[in-house]
């Protein structure tokens, strides 16, 4: 694609990067075949190619964003399926992120939009605030139908039936390995996930320590910044990310880290991009170091289960799921949902399925597994109609496989799909933990007793 940016414009790092990306685009339109919003809406401007034209026009002409441009940029899920499909290597993620930052600085949204975005940015990244908000939403949910704004209804309906107690395993501390130490890793405990589902981090710690990893929850680490980053709130997102960079580099410089383990793939995509986000910042070197060892939990588990501590081919304690009251069926059918941030953002497509098969589960995949479920961070709250259509399609294709369980690697997808599915959904690490000696995932046992206020590692 030909561009006409001036030399002065290209002095801005964001514009210079946008120019590189735009020039890589050849207008081929392959991206439209895998874009969820284009499939739902059928509008060229709601495809990556259409949005690229809008962004190019806005940036080249230094034009004040108008309502039409903002509408179509806001409708982008950032699922990044277009990047997987693109034969030219167009880095759409960096382009749309820059466009959102540009819009945030120059466009005055309607008051209700500004208010909702401000509320989300002040609540979701903070687990304690989010818990209070979830409690309020739970109380207000019966009155959701009276809300005039569909986005407010979506926020009320998002509240889970039960809000888990705080897990003390998320506090800064170290967990020693249960066997010969093979690595030392930091676990990113996240933000929203700590309020919505504490079982995921608990299972991750049990599983990693059982396989020989020392797990550190670093002092000062928290939200990765993704939620505000995708709203174009760059200062806020970078402030969150900077805290993580400082927390993890302290651990790297002290006792060392072999990996930063992330079990929410949306966060993983952002943390792995810290080097780009901070490329012109004094933290650039440390950000690149952190990004360089950031790993999805499935990547680390593949390494730990490749060989044992002595270098021999690793075998689980039981290579099959035992037929017991806790493990009722050998070869349970698991429908694997590939989170967009994992398969497109991080290009990790096989690891979770390989691990689940190694644990004895039978894996099935839905039709069109590359398509988004409609969660996409805050998208299901800000674009509930489009999100709802994508959710309905995804649940239908998953349940068509008649699975016993649905597994995913991202809390947003789990909440989105779980709100409509008739099949229990759990994180992949919960199933692996269960198969390899841990407790049964609570989501699979409707009659389970309430959890202790302080979850214990088992």
């Amino acid at each position: 694609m030909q561009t006409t940016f001036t030399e002065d414009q290209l002095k801005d790092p964001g514009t210079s990067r946008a120019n590189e990306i735009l020039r890589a685009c050849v207008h081929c339109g392959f991206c439209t075949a895998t874009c969820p919003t284009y499939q739902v809406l059928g509008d060229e401007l709601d495809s990556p190619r259409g949005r690229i034209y809008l962004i190019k026009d806005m940036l080249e002409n230094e034009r004040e964003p108008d309502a039409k441009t903002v509408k179509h940029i806001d409708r982008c899920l950032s699922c990044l399926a277009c990047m997987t499909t693109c034969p030219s290597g167009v880095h759409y993620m960096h382009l749309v992120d820059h466009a959102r930052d540009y819009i945030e600085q120059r466009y005055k949204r309607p008051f209700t939009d500004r208010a909702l975005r401000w509320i989300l940015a002040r609540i979701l990244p903070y687990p304690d605030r989010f818990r209070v908000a979830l409690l309020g939403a739970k109380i207000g949910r019966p009155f959701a139908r009276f809300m005039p704004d569909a986005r407010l209804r979506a926020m009320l309906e998002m509240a889970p039936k039960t809000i888990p107690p705080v897990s003390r395993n998320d506090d800064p501390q170290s967990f020693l390995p249960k066997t010969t130490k093979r690595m030392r890793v930091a676990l990113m405990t996240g933000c929203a996930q700590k309020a919505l589902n504490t079982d995921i981090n608990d299972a991750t710690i049990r599983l990693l320590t059982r396989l020989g990893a020392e797990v550190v929850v670093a002092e000062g680490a928290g939200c990765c910044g993704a939620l505000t980053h995708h709203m174009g709130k760059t200062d806020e997102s970078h402030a969150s990310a900077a805290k993580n960079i400082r927390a993890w580099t302290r651990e790297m410089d002290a006792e060392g880290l072999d990996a930063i383990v992330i079990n929410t793939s949306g966060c993983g995509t952002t943390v792995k991009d810290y080097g780009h986000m901070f490329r012109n910042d004094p933290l650039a070197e440390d950000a690149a170091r952190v990004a360089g060892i950031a790993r999805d939990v499935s990547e680390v588990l593949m390494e730990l289960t490749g060989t044992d501590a002595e270098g021999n081919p690793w075998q689980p304690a039981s290579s099959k799921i035992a037929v017991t009251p806790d493990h009722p069926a050998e070869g349970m059918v698991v429908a694997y949902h590939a989170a967009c941030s994992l398969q497109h953002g991080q290009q990790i497509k096989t690891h979770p399925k390989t691990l689940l098969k190694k644990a004895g589960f039978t894996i099935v995949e839905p039709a069109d597994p590359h398509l988004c479920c409609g969660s996409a961070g805050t998208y299901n709250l800000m674009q509930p109609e489009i999100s709802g259509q994508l959710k309905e399609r995804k649940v239908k294709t998953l349940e068509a496989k008649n699975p016993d369980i649905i597994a995913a690697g991202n809390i947003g997808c789990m909440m989105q799909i779980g709100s409509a599915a008739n099949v229990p959904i759990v994180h992949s690490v919960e199933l692996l933990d269960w198969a390899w000696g841990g407790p049964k995932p609570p989501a699979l046992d409707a009659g389970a007793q309430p959890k202790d206020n302080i979850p214990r590692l088992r």
Side-chain angles (χ1 to χ4, degrees):
M1 177 179 288
Q2 184 178 4
T3 59
T4 58
F5 290 103
T6 66
E7 290 186 11
D8 284 342
Q9 286 177 313
L10 293 175
K11 290 178 182 177
D12 175 73
T15 303
S16 177
R17 177 60 176 148
N19 181 53
E20 294 173 1
I21 298 167
L22 289 167
R23 283 179 170 269
C25 180
V26 297
H27 315 263
C28 67
F30 282 14
C31 56
T32 61
T34 56
C35 176
T37 51
Y38 180 72
Q39 291 198 8
V40 169
L41 301 170
D43 187 334
E44 172 74 11
L45 295 180
D46 285 311
S47 73
R49 183 171 61 180
R51 294 184 179 108
I52 285 172
Y53 288 136
L54 290 173
I55 293 169
K56 176 181 181 293
D57 175 63
M58 180 175 67
L59 296 180
E60 274 188 339
N61 297 302
E62 296 184 348
R63 182 169 54 77
E64 292 297 309
D66 56 30
K68 176 183 176 182
T69 300
V70 172
K71 177 181 72 172
H72 293 295
I73 300 300
D74 283 352
R75 283 179 173 175
C76 176
L77 290 142
S78 280
C79 71
L80 307 181
C82 54
M83 287 179 59
T84 296
T85 310
C86 181
S88 303
V90 175
H91 205 302
Y92 178 81
M93 181 176 80
H94 288 167
L95 181 65
V96 76
D97 285 346
H98 178 62
R100 287 171 173 151
D101 174 75
Y102 184 96
I103 289 169
E104 182 70 13
Q105 293 183 43
R106 294 167 175 81
Y107 180 69
K108 186 170 183 179
R109 296 175 180 273
F111 172 75
T112 53
D113 285 9
R114 297 200 309 274
L116 287 172
R117 292 164 68 88
W118 184 89
I119 290 170
L120 292 174
R122 296 297 180 279
I123 291 178
L124 296 186
Y126 304 93
D128 291 339
R129 299 179 195 175
F130 192 25
R131 283 179 176 276
V132 173
L134 287 174
L135 179 60
K138 182 179 177 182
I139 294 170
R141 187 166 52 189
F143 308 101
R145 63 184 183 276
F146 300 115
M147 290 291 173
D149 192 316
R151 295 170 299 182
L152 291 175
R153 290 197 297 272
M155 290 180 188
L156 291 178
E157 291 166 356
M158 172 188 171
K161 293 180 181 178
T162 59
I163 302 171
V166 173
S167 172
R168 297 271 68 93
N169 295 324
D170 291 331
D171 295 342
Q173 60 192 295
S174 292
F175 298 88
L176 296 178
K178 304 299 183 185
T179 183
T180 304
K181 181 177 176 179
R182 303 179 60 191
M183 62 172 61
R184 184 174 190 264
V185 304
L187 174 65
M188 179 175 184
T189 55
C191 52
Q193 180 170 281
K194 290 200 292 188
L196 292 167
N197 188 328
T198 57
D199 297 320
I200 299 170
N201 285 342
D202 292 345
T204 301
I205 296 168
R206 285 193 299 262
L207 189 55
L208 290 172
T209 54
R210 194 180 303 124
L211 294 173
E214 178 185 354
V215 179
V216 179
V217 179
E219 179 78 43
C223 174
C224 69
L227 292 170
T228 46
H229 182 65
H230 294 313
M231 291 186 197
K233 298 180 181 295
T234 301
D235 290 343
E236 293 177 36
S237 67
H238 281 212
S240 297
K243 291 179 182 178
N244 287 333
I245 293 167
R246 294 188 180 99
W248 289 328
T249 51
R250 280 196 297 270
E251 291 292 341
M252 294 167 72
D253 294 337
E255 297 183 52
L257 290 176
D258 296 296
I260 297 164
V261 177
I262 305 167
N263 56 23
T264 299
S265 59
C267 301
T269 301
T270 298
V271 176
K272 288 182 177 183
D273 202 44
Y274 277 1
H276 171 77
M277 290 169 60
F278 285 83
R279 65 196 184 281
N280 300 304
D281 188 275
L283 281 175
E285 183 178 348
D286 285 342
R289 291 173 63 202
V290 165
I293 64 168
R295 298 287 184 271
D296 182 72
V297 64
S298 65
E299 294 180 279
V300 175
L301 290 175
M302 284 294 290
E303 181 177 345
L304 288 172
T305 60
T307 59
D308 61 21
E310 285 71 42
N312 301 312
W314 183 85
Q315 292 290 331
S318 172
S319 59
K320 300 281 187 179
I321 298 175
V323 181
T324 69
D326 282 338
H327 297 163
E330 181 177 311
M332 295 178 73
V333 178
V334 177
Y336 174 68
H337 165 70
C340 295
S341 46
L342 194 59
Q343 64 170 323
H344 303 309
Q346 301 181 52
Q347 292 294 305
I348 297 173
K349 303 177 187 297
T350 62
H351 289 350
K353 293 180 288 185
T354 299
L355 290 162
L356 289 167
K357 289 175 184 176
K358 185 181 289 190
F361 295 101
T362 298
I363 306 303
V364 296
E365 292 186 84
D368 299 322
H370 61 281
L371 289 180
C372 186
C373 69
S375 173
T378 60
Y379 192 91
N380 56 351
L381 302 178
M382 299 303 292
Q383 302 284 342
E385 287 190 28
I386 302 171
S387 173
Q389 292 180 61
L390 293 171
K391 174 172 68 175
E392 182 180 354
R393 174 189 292 188
K394 181 61 68 175
V395 170
K396 183 178 180 180
T397 58
L398 284 164
E399 293 188 338
K401 295 295 182 177
N402 296 314
D404 299 305
I405 311 165
I406 299 171
N410 187 61
I411 184 63
C413 302
M414 292 170 62
M415 296 299 296
Q416 175 83 341
I417 295 168
S419 68
N422 295 310
V423 179
I425 183 167
V426 298
H427 197 289
S428 301
V429 295
E430 294 182 83
L431 291 180
L432 295 172
D433 177 45
W434 179 35
W436 292 338
K440 185 177 183 179
L444 302 185
D445 190 355
Q449 295 297 314
K451 293 172 58 177
D452 295 338
N453 285 335
I454 302 179
R456 290 172 172 79
L457 293 179
R458 287 174 280 183

